Amino acid sequence: MISLKAIHKTFFQGKRRIPALHPTDLDVPAGSIFGIIGSSGAGKSTLIRCVNLLEHPDGGSVSIDGIDLTALDERQLRQQRRQIAMIFQHFNLLNSRTVFDNIALSLELAGTDRARIQSRVTDLLALVGLEDKANSYPANLSGGQKQRVAIARALANEPKVLLCDEATSALDPETTKSILALLKEINQRLGLTILLITHEMEVVKQICDRVAIIDQGRLIEQGEVGPFFAGAKTELARRFIRSTLHLSIPESYQAALSDQPGEGRVPLIRLSFHGDSVDAPVITQAAKQFGIDISILSAQMEYVGGTKFGLMLAELMGAEDAVERTTHYLTQHNIDVEVLGYVQ
Ligand SMILES: Nc1ncnc2c1ncn2[C@@H]1O[C@H](COP(=O)(O)OP(=O)(O)OP(=O)(O)O)[C@@H](O)[C@H]1O
């Protein structure tokens, strides 16, 4: 559906070159929800803006449904762009227009007749759950309601693709959930292909089928969400995945935590489980084999895309070399082991 081939973009600030996007290929299957995640400045906005040519890449091609947008003239491009809608972090509604008129705008511009506009906008308001807000102005809406209006407006011309530029970043967690649920529903009901950029792995976890990680203008890892969460290869991907688990060190431990080993201190470790390692009885096997005690402080396991992954905080108690061998054994069994410090 969306196919990017070798697109790249470099900005210049005075004499300074800023390579925002190195030559990048990306294929987004029709009907999927594809998430691109990266830290601030990684190149997410540049990449998504290249898809509808809001940003012109320096080279490479952008095809939607087999049509290369970079090869079109202005008039043809305007026509093709109707198939690609976009929503933004700050909604970009027209404050002087009512909700109804915001949604109607692109239909008016396309010359749609009044009766058709009336029925289409009414349907869209129902789809996004805002039937009672038709005559309200954006200033009187919550952030979530504004994004619902923006979604309705985006869908007015029956696009094939919806681009979401940090669409939930300005919303609280509950509203974020409801907007993501709406996007998923639209994806399933209308078969709309969704490409979104985000810096929050929670968003990917909630609605994406596929995910790619972007770092310093390069896509460094990608895949289906389930296997990705279960077996991410790069440290950055693993860090993003860990950010979705909320396992904190108890305060009493935090205070007693030293970064140096010492007499009477034991290591406090964080174990990250991926894929197969979640189900295997690796912890008990290690305890038996190396004669150590493992005291579990807390653990969290999650399901994403049908696969399990999780985190555990534990103390390892035993002789120094037994602890070392245990750590090695766990690592060999696809568990990331991180020593957070030493506790008495
Ligand atoms: N118009 C521009 N002129 C100069 N540099 C730019 C321009 N747009 C982006 N950049 C630079 O390109 C790099 C990638 O920026 P981009 O906005 O794509 O990142 P991002 O991942 O979307 O970041 P954020 O999450 O902070 O929005 C950054 O170093 C940024 O400063």
Side-chain angles (χ1 to χ4, degrees):
M1 161 57 81
I2 303 173
S3 176
L4 309 182
K5 294 269 180 280
I7 58 156
H8 53 102
K9 180 78 189 177
T10 298
F11 294 106
F12 288 90
Q13 256 171 4
K15 284 192 178 146
R16 206 172 132 233
R17 281 181 87 247
I18 305 169
L21 202 58
H22 295 280
T24 297
D25 293 346
L26 181 72
D27 281 298
V28 180
S32 64
I33 304 185
F34 197 117
I36 294 175
I37 182 163
S39 311
S40 181
K44 304 181 293 292
S45 298
T46 307
L47 176 58
I48 203 166
R49 288 163 59 85
C50 280
V51 174
N52 54 3
L53 302 190
L54 271 183
E55 197 71 74
H56 270 269
D58 297 332
S61 68
V62 178
S63 300
I64 307 283
D65 244 359
I67 297 173
D68 180 358
L69 302 188
T70 52
L72 303 180
D73 63 29
E74 271 304 314
R75 191 188 58 79
Q76 291 167 324
L77 180 59
R78 257 200 316 277
Q79 205 166 24
Q80 287 303 320
R81 272 205 183 119
R82 292 219 181 107
Q83 303 190 35
I84 315 167
M86 193 164 187
I87 57 172
F88 305 87
Q89 180 175 358
H90 297 296
F91 325 121
N92 298 10
L93 300 178
L94 294 175
N95 289 325
S96 59
R97 286 189 150 232
T98 62
V99 164
F100 186 101
D101 289 341
N102 262 284
I103 300 170
L105 183 62
S106 63
L107 296 168
E108 288 168 16
L109 294 175
T112 311
D113 70 65
R114 203 63 219 166
R116 169 87 186 120
I117 290 179
Q118 183 68 39
S119 85
R120 180 91 187 112
V121 175
T122 305
D123 288 351
L124 287 164
L125 282 167
L127 181 70
V128 300
L130 289 181
E131 296 97 324
D132 56 337
K133 297 289 181 193
N135 298 316
S136 300
Y137 283 88
N140 300 324
L141 301 179
S142 68
Q145 289 168 335
K146 285 182 196 170
Q147 197 57 291
R148 284 172 186 269
V149 177
I151 291 169
R153 178 183 59 181
L155 298 178
N157 278 320
E158 300 180 52
K160 291 183 185 159
V161 172
L162 179 64
L163 306 177
C164 306
D165 184 350
E166 297 277 5
T168 54
S169 295
L171 305 175
D172 63 62
E174 273 314 301
T175 313
T176 292
K177 265 193 198 156
S178 75
I179 293 295
L180 294 177
L182 175 63
L183 290 173
K184 183 101 194 165
E185 187 192 331
I186 288 166
N187 159 259
Q188 287 173 348
R189 266 171 65 176
L190 310 178
L192 190 72
T193 305
I194 297 180
L195 176 63
L196 62 86
I197 59 168
T198 180
H199 62 278
E200 292 170 315
M201 203 52 150
E202 247 349 293
V203 170
V204 172
K205 199 163 106 179
Q206 261 188 59
I207 62 164
C208 292
D209 309 309
R210 298 185 70 85
V211 57
I213 301 243
I214 187 167
D215 185 33
Q216 297 180 39
R218 288 193 170 86
L219 295 183
I220 58 167
E221 191 169 357
Q222 59 174 297
E224 283 177 43
V225 166
F228 187 87
F229 270 74
K233 303 279 182 299
T234 58
E235 177 47 34
L236 183 60
R238 290 186 172 203
R239 222 168 47 224
F240 274 120
I241 291 167
R242 272 204 297 274
S243 73
T244 69
L245 296 165
H246 310 286
L247 209 56
S248 54
I249 305 171
E251 261 174 44
S252 54
Y253 274 80
Q254 195 76 262
L257 204 61
S258 161
D259 56 3
Q260 297 297 326
E263 191 57 35
R265 294 203 190 116
V266 298
L268 177 66
I269 57 168
R270 176 163 57 201
L271 306 175
S272 307
F273 296 81
H274 312 271
D276 296 344
S277 67
V278 179
D279 294 319
V282 180
I283 302 275
T284 45
Q285 278 166 2
K288 269 189 218 151
Q289 194 165 334
F290 304 110
I292 58 154
D293 285 321
I294 299 179
S295 162
I296 298 170
L297 301 184
S298 51
Q300 189 186 352
M301 295 293 155
E302 290 257 5
Y303 270 99
V304 176
T307 358
K308 264 197 280 186
F309 70 100
L311 280 186
M312 182 184 283
L313 285 183
E315 291 173 321
L316 291 189
M317 289 169 281
E320 203 176 313
D321 70 320
V323 167
E324 227 167 76
R325 286 163 72 198
T326 303
T327 308
H328 182 66
Y329 179 85
L330 296 175
T331 309
Q332 275 185 325
H333 285 79
N334 198 25
I335 298 173
D336 286 350
V337 183
E338 202 182 338
V339 178
L340 301 175
Y342 300 84
V343 280
Q344 206 86 38

PDB file of all heavy atoms in Angstrom, residues 11-13 16 18-20 38-47 55 165-166 197 199 214, ligand 1:
ATOM      1  N   PHE A  11      18.627  18.474   5.927  1.00  0.00           N
ATOM      2  CA  PHE A  11      18.333  19.903   6.103  1.00  0.00           C
ATOM      3  C   PHE A  11      19.650  20.663   6.222  1.00  0.00           C
ATOM      4  O   PHE A  11      20.675  20.090   6.610  1.00  0.00           O
ATOM      5  CB  PHE A  11      17.506  20.126   7.380  1.00  0.00           C
ATOM      6  CG  PHE A  11      16.130  19.538   7.317  1.00  0.00           C
ATOM      7  CD1 PHE A  11      15.810  18.381   8.011  1.00  0.00           C
ATOM      8  CD2 PHE A  11      15.145  20.145   6.549  1.00  0.00           C
ATOM      9  CE1 PHE A  11      14.538  17.840   7.949  1.00  0.00           C
ATOM     10  CE2 PHE A  11      13.854  19.615   6.480  1.00  0.00           C
ATOM     11  CZ  PHE A  11      13.557  18.461   7.187  1.00  0.00           C
ATOM     12  N   PHE A  12      19.592  21.941   5.928  1.00  0.00           N
ATOM     13  CA  PHE A  12      20.777  22.792   6.102  1.00  0.00           C
ATOM     14  C   PHE A  12      20.409  23.958   7.000  1.00  0.00           C
ATOM     15  O   PHE A  12      19.359  24.578   6.808  1.00  0.00           O
ATOM     16  CB  PHE A  12      21.269  23.306   4.746  1.00  0.00           C
ATOM     17  CG  PHE A  12      21.904  22.228   3.921  1.00  0.00           C
ATOM     18  CD1 PHE A  12      21.138  21.459   3.056  1.00  0.00           C
ATOM     19  CD2 PHE A  12      23.261  21.958   4.048  1.00  0.00           C
ATOM     20  CE1 PHE A  12      21.714  20.439   2.314  1.00  0.00           C
ATOM     21  CE2 PHE A  12      23.855  20.942   3.305  1.00  0.00           C
ATOM     22  CZ  PHE A  12      23.081  20.183   2.436  1.00  0.00           C
ATOM     23  N   GLN A  13      21.252  24.193   7.997  1.00  0.00           N
ATOM     24  CA  GLN A  13      21.075  25.390   8.811  1.00  0.00           C
ATOM     25  C   GLN A  13      22.358  26.181   8.656  1.00  0.00           C
ATOM     26  O   GLN A  13      23.379  25.825   9.246  1.00  0.00           O
ATOM     27  CB  GLN A  13      20.835  25.009  10.275  1.00  0.00           C
ATOM     28  CG  GLN A  13      19.389  25.157  10.669  1.00  0.00           C
ATOM     29  CD  GLN A  13      19.090  24.586  12.031  1.00  0.00           C
ATOM     30  OE1 GLN A  13      19.989  24.133  12.748  1.00  0.00           O
ATOM     31  NE2 GLN A  13      17.836  24.603  12.404  1.00  0.00           N
ATOM     32  N   ARG A  16      25.563  24.201   8.279  1.00  0.00           N
ATOM     33  CA  ARG A  16      25.443  22.927   8.993  1.00  0.00           C
ATOM     34  C   ARG A  16      24.508  21.975   8.257  1.00  0.00           C
ATOM     35  O   ARG A  16      23.393  22.339   7.915  1.00  0.00           O
ATOM     36  CB  ARG A  16      24.899  23.201  10.403  1.00  0.00           C
ATOM     37  CG  ARG A  16      25.299  22.154  11.383  1.00  0.00           C
ATOM     38  CD  ARG A  16      24.933  22.519  12.797  1.00  0.00           C
ATOM     39  NE  ARG A  16      24.274  21.387  13.401  1.00  0.00           N
ATOM     40  CZ  ARG A  16      23.101  21.409  14.001  1.00  0.00           C
ATOM     41  NH1 ARG A  16      22.445  22.542  14.111  1.00  0.00           N
ATOM     42  NH2 ARG A  16      22.590  20.311  14.508  1.00  0.00           N
ATOM     43  N   ILE A  18      22.180  18.729   8.310  1.00  0.00           N
ATOM     44  CA  ILE A  18      21.465  17.877   9.273  1.00  0.00           C
ATOM     45  C   ILE A  18      20.817  16.732   8.499  1.00  0.00           C
ATOM     46  O   ILE A  18      19.763  16.899   7.885  1.00  0.00           O
ATOM     47  CB  ILE A  18      20.383  18.681  10.034  1.00  0.00           C
ATOM     48  CG1 ILE A  18      21.029  19.908  10.690  1.00  0.00           C
ATOM     49  CG2 ILE A  18      19.687  17.810  11.064  1.00  0.00           C
ATOM     50  CD1 ILE A  18      20.037  20.899  11.247  1.00  0.00           C
ATOM     51  N   PRO A  19      21.487  15.571   8.483  1.00  0.00           N
ATOM     52  CA  PRO A  19      20.910  14.437   7.744  1.00  0.00           C
ATOM     53  C   PRO A  19      19.750  13.837   8.539  1.00  0.00           C
ATOM     54  O   PRO A  19      19.941  12.954   9.365  1.00  0.00           O
ATOM     55  CB  PRO A  19      22.080  13.445   7.627  1.00  0.00           C
ATOM     56  CG  PRO A  19      23.032  13.812   8.720  1.00  0.00           C
ATOM     57  CD  PRO A  19      22.740  15.208   9.177  1.00  0.00           C
ATOM     58  N   ALA A  20      18.525  14.346   8.311  1.00  0.00           N
ATOM     59  CA  ALA A  20      17.359  13.928   9.108  1.00  0.00           C
ATOM     60  C   ALA A  20      16.922  12.519   8.757  1.00  0.00           C
ATOM     61  O   ALA A  20      16.434  11.781   9.602  1.00  0.00           O
ATOM     62  CB  ALA A  20      16.212  14.902   8.886  1.00  0.00           C
ATOM     63  N   GLY A  38      10.432   6.462  17.866  1.00  0.00           N
ATOM     64  CA  GLY A  38      11.802   6.952  18.005  1.00  0.00           C
ATOM     65  C   GLY A  38      11.846   8.087  19.004  1.00  0.00           C
ATOM     66  O   GLY A  38      10.808   8.658  19.355  1.00  0.00           O
ATOM     67  N   SER A  39      13.053   8.412  19.442  1.00  0.00           N
ATOM     68  CA  SER A  39      13.206   9.499  20.408  1.00  0.00           C
ATOM     69  C   SER A  39      13.094  10.833  19.684  1.00  0.00           C
ATOM     70  O   SER A  39      13.040  10.884  18.448  1.00  0.00           O
ATOM     71  CB  SER A  39      14.588   9.407  21.070  1.00  0.00           C
ATOM     72  OG  SER A  39      14.803   8.099  21.516  1.00  0.00           O
ATOM     73  N   SER A  40      13.137  11.908  20.454  1.00  0.00           N
ATOM     74  CA  SER A  40      13.040  13.241  19.877  1.00  0.00           C
ATOM     75  C   SER A  40      14.213  13.487  18.915  1.00  0.00           C
ATOM     76  O   SER A  40      15.358  13.171  19.234  1.00  0.00           O
ATOM     77  CB  SER A  40      13.059  14.264  21.014  1.00  0.00           C
ATOM     78  OG  SER A  40      12.939  15.535  20.479  1.00  0.00           O
ATOM     79  N   GLY A  41      13.904  13.990  17.740  1.00  0.00           N
ATOM     80  CA  GLY A  41      14.958  14.305  16.767  1.00  0.00           C
ATOM     81  C   GLY A  41      15.413  13.117  15.939  1.00  0.00           C
ATOM     82  O   GLY A  41      16.327  13.235  15.123  1.00  0.00           O
ATOM     83  N   ALA A  42      14.768  11.958  16.099  1.00  0.00           N
ATOM     84  CA  ALA A  42      15.211  10.749  15.384  1.00  0.00           C
ATOM     85  C   ALA A  42      14.873  10.788  13.898  1.00  0.00           C
ATOM     86  O   ALA A  42      15.472  10.060  13.102  1.00  0.00           O
ATOM     87  CB  ALA A  42      14.577   9.514  16.030  1.00  0.00           C
ATOM     88  N   GLY A  43      13.886  11.624  13.530  1.00  0.00           N
ATOM     89  CA  GLY A  43      13.518  11.715  12.112  1.00  0.00           C
ATOM     90  C   GLY A  43      12.094  11.247  11.818  1.00  0.00           C
ATOM     91  O   GLY A  43      11.720  11.110  10.647  1.00  0.00           O
ATOM     92  N   LYS A  44      11.294  11.054  12.854  1.00  0.00           N
ATOM     93  CA  LYS A  44       9.921  10.540  12.671  1.00  0.00           C
ATOM     94  C   LYS A  44       9.066  11.490  11.825  1.00  0.00           C
ATOM     95  O   LYS A  44       8.440  11.060  10.853  1.00  0.00           O
ATOM     96  CB  LYS A  44       9.209  10.359  14.035  1.00  0.00           C
ATOM     97  CG  LYS A  44       9.935   9.483  15.012  1.00  0.00           C
ATOM     98  CD  LYS A  44       9.154   9.349  16.302  1.00  0.00           C
ATOM     99  CE  LYS A  44       9.040  10.629  17.120  1.00  0.00           C
ATOM    100  NZ  LYS A  44      10.309  11.105  17.700  1.00  0.00           N
ATOM    101  N   SER A  45       9.055  12.776  12.231  1.00  0.00           N
ATOM    102  CA  SER A  45       8.200  13.726  11.508  1.00  0.00           C
ATOM    103  C   SER A  45       8.653  13.845  10.061  1.00  0.00           C
ATOM    104  O   SER A  45       7.828  13.873   9.138  1.00  0.00           O
ATOM    105  CB  SER A  45       8.272  15.115  12.141  1.00  0.00           C
ATOM    106  OG  SER A  45       7.802  15.050  13.440  1.00  0.00           O
ATOM    107  N   THR A  46       9.965  13.912   9.864  1.00  0.00           N
ATOM    108  CA  THR A  46      10.479  14.029   8.496  1.00  0.00           C
ATOM    109  C   THR A  46       9.995  12.842   7.667  1.00  0.00           C
ATOM    110  O   THR A  46       9.518  13.014   6.534  1.00  0.00           O
ATOM    111  CB  THR A  46      12.024  14.079   8.514  1.00  0.00           C
ATOM    112  OG1 THR A  46      12.427  15.112   9.412  1.00  0.00           O
ATOM    113  CG2 THR A  46      12.583  14.331   7.138  1.00  0.00           C
ATOM    114  N   LEU A  47      10.076  11.649   8.238  1.00  0.00           N
ATOM    115  CA  LEU A  47       9.676  10.446   7.502  1.00  0.00           C
ATOM    116  C   LEU A  47       8.183  10.482   7.163  1.00  0.00           C
ATOM    117  O   LEU A  47       7.801  10.300   5.999  1.00  0.00           O
ATOM    118  CB  LEU A  47      10.006   9.196   8.338  1.00  0.00           C
ATOM    119  CG  LEU A  47       9.557   7.862   7.761  1.00  0.00           C
ATOM    120  CD1 LEU A  47      10.157   7.635   6.387  1.00  0.00           C
ATOM    121  CD2 LEU A  47       9.940   6.705   8.672  1.00  0.00           C
ATOM    122  N   GLU A  55       6.800  17.179   3.090  1.00  0.00           N
ATOM    123  CA  GLU A  55       8.252  17.374   3.016  1.00  0.00           C
ATOM    124  C   GLU A  55       8.704  16.682   1.743  1.00  0.00           C
ATOM    125  O   GLU A  55       8.388  15.506   1.548  1.00  0.00           O
ATOM    126  CB  GLU A  55       8.892  16.706   4.242  1.00  0.00           C
ATOM    127  CG  GLU A  55      10.283  17.132   4.542  1.00  0.00           C
ATOM    128  CD  GLU A  55      10.332  18.556   5.081  1.00  0.00           C
ATOM    129  OE1 GLU A  55       9.954  18.784   6.232  1.00  0.00           O
ATOM    130  OE2 GLU A  55      10.754  19.416   4.286  1.00  0.00           O
ATOM    131  N   ASP A 165       0.419  11.968  13.181  1.00  0.00           N
ATOM    132  CA  ASP A 165       1.667  12.579  13.648  1.00  0.00           C
ATOM    133  C   ASP A 165       1.534  12.860  15.143  1.00  0.00           C
ATOM    134  O   ASP A 165       0.977  13.879  15.538  1.00  0.00           O
ATOM    135  CB  ASP A 165       1.901  13.876  12.851  1.00  0.00           C
ATOM    136  CG  ASP A 165       3.228  14.532  13.199  1.00  0.00           C
ATOM    137  OD1 ASP A 165       3.869  14.100  14.167  1.00  0.00           O
ATOM    138  OD2 ASP A 165       3.612  15.486  12.502  1.00  0.00           O
ATOM    139  N   GLU A 166       2.013  11.929  15.975  1.00  0.00           N
ATOM    140  CA  GLU A 166       1.930  12.066  17.447  1.00  0.00           C
ATOM    141  C   GLU A 166       0.506  12.437  17.878  1.00  0.00           C
ATOM    142  O   GLU A 166       0.307  13.348  18.698  1.00  0.00           O
ATOM    143  CB  GLU A 166       2.917  13.138  17.947  1.00  0.00           C
ATOM    144  CG  GLU A 166       4.374  12.818  17.689  1.00  0.00           C
ATOM    145  CD  GLU A 166       4.984  11.891  18.760  1.00  0.00           C
ATOM    146  OE1 GLU A 166       4.255  11.418  19.653  1.00  0.00           O
ATOM    147  OE2 GLU A 166       6.210  11.647  18.671  1.00  0.00           O
ATOM    148  N   ILE A 197       3.336   7.925  13.843  1.00  0.00           N
ATOM    149  CA  ILE A 197       4.624   8.092  14.515  1.00  0.00           C
ATOM    150  C   ILE A 197       4.358   8.446  15.967  1.00  0.00           C
ATOM    151  O   ILE A 197       3.363   9.099  16.296  1.00  0.00           O
ATOM    152  CB  ILE A 197       5.513   9.179  13.855  1.00  0.00           C
ATOM    153  CG1 ILE A 197       4.825  10.542  13.842  1.00  0.00           C
ATOM    154  CG2 ILE A 197       5.926   8.765  12.471  1.00  0.00           C
ATOM    155  CD1 ILE A 197       5.774  11.678  13.481  1.00  0.00           C
ATOM    156  N   HIS A 199       6.455   8.612  20.182  1.00  0.00           N
ATOM    157  CA  HIS A 199       7.640   8.326  20.992  1.00  0.00           C
ATOM    158  C   HIS A 199       7.254   7.433  22.169  1.00  0.00           C
ATOM    159  O   HIS A 199       8.046   7.203  23.059  1.00  0.00           O
ATOM    160  CB  HIS A 199       8.289   9.641  21.471  1.00  0.00           C
ATOM    161  CG  HIS A 199       7.389  10.454  22.337  1.00  0.00           C
ATOM    162  ND1 HIS A 199       6.431  11.289  21.829  1.00  0.00           N
ATOM    163  CD2 HIS A 199       7.284  10.528  23.679  1.00  0.00           C
ATOM    164  CE1 HIS A 199       5.776  11.858  22.825  1.00  0.00           C
ATOM    165  NE2 HIS A 199       6.270  11.407  23.960  1.00  0.00           N
ATOM    166  N   ILE A 214      13.083   4.031  14.666  1.00  0.00           N
ATOM    167  CA  ILE A 214      13.952   4.949  13.926  1.00  0.00           C
ATOM    168  C   ILE A 214      14.930   5.592  14.900  1.00  0.00           C
ATOM    169  O   ILE A 214      14.563   5.973  16.009  1.00  0.00           O
ATOM    170  CB  ILE A 214      13.116   6.012  13.149  1.00  0.00           C
ATOM    171  CG1 ILE A 214      14.011   6.862  12.254  1.00  0.00           C
ATOM    172  CG2 ILE A 214      12.285   6.884  14.071  1.00  0.00           C
ATOM    173  CD1 ILE A 214      13.245   7.696  11.233  1.00  0.00           C
TER     174      ILE A 214
HETATM  175  N1  LIG B   1      12.999  22.342   8.734  1.00  0.00           N
HETATM  176  C1  LIG B   1      14.093  21.899   9.335  1.00  0.00           C
HETATM  177  N2  LIG B   1      15.258  22.592   9.242  1.00  0.00           N
HETATM  178  C2  LIG B   1      16.378  22.143   9.840  1.00  0.00           C
HETATM  179  N3  LIG B   1      16.464  21.010  10.551  1.00  0.00           N
HETATM  180  C3  LIG B   1      15.335  20.289  10.672  1.00  0.00           C
HETATM  181  C4  LIG B   1      14.100  20.695  10.088  1.00  0.00           C
HETATM  182  N4  LIG B   1      13.156  19.771  10.387  1.00  0.00           N
HETATM  183  C5  LIG B   1      13.777  18.834  11.149  1.00  0.00           C
HETATM  184  N5  LIG B   1      15.078  19.129  11.315  1.00  0.00           N
HETATM  185  C6  LIG B   1      16.094  18.323  12.027  1.00  0.00           C
HETATM  186  O1  LIG B   1      16.045  17.008  11.509  1.00  0.00           O
HETATM  187  C7  LIG B   1      16.191  16.041  12.543  1.00  0.00           C
HETATM  188  C8  LIG B   1      14.961  15.146  12.559  1.00  0.00           C
HETATM  189  O2  LIG B   1      13.847  15.932  12.945  1.00  0.00           O
HETATM  190  P1  LIG B   1      12.356  15.346  13.051  1.00  0.00           P
HETATM  191  O3  LIG B   1      11.464  16.496  13.379  1.00  0.00           O
HETATM  192  O4  LIG B   1      12.057  14.549  11.854  1.00  0.00           O
HETATM  193  O5  LIG B   1      12.515  14.380  14.328  1.00  0.00           O
HETATM  194  P2  LIG B   1      11.382  13.737  15.232  1.00  0.00           P
HETATM  195  O6  LIG B   1      11.791  12.339  15.478  1.00  0.00           O
HETATM  196  O7  LIG B   1      10.039  13.957  14.621  1.00  0.00           O
HETATM  197  O8  LIG B   1      11.517  14.598  16.561  1.00  0.00           O
HETATM  198  P3  LIG B   1      10.380  15.093  17.600  1.00  0.00           P
HETATM  199  O9  LIG B   1       9.817  13.852  18.224  1.00  0.00           O
HETATM  200  O10 LIG B   1      11.170  15.916  18.588  1.00  0.00           O
HETATM  201  O11 LIG B   1       9.382  15.876  16.815  1.00  0.00           O
HETATM  202  C9  LIG B   1      16.383  16.831  13.826  1.00  0.00           C
HETATM  203  O12 LIG B   1      17.765  16.936  14.072  1.00  0.00           O
HETATM  204  C10 LIG B   1      15.784  18.183  13.510  1.00  0.00           C
HETATM  205  O13 LIG B   1      16.390  19.197  14.280  1.00  0.00           O
END
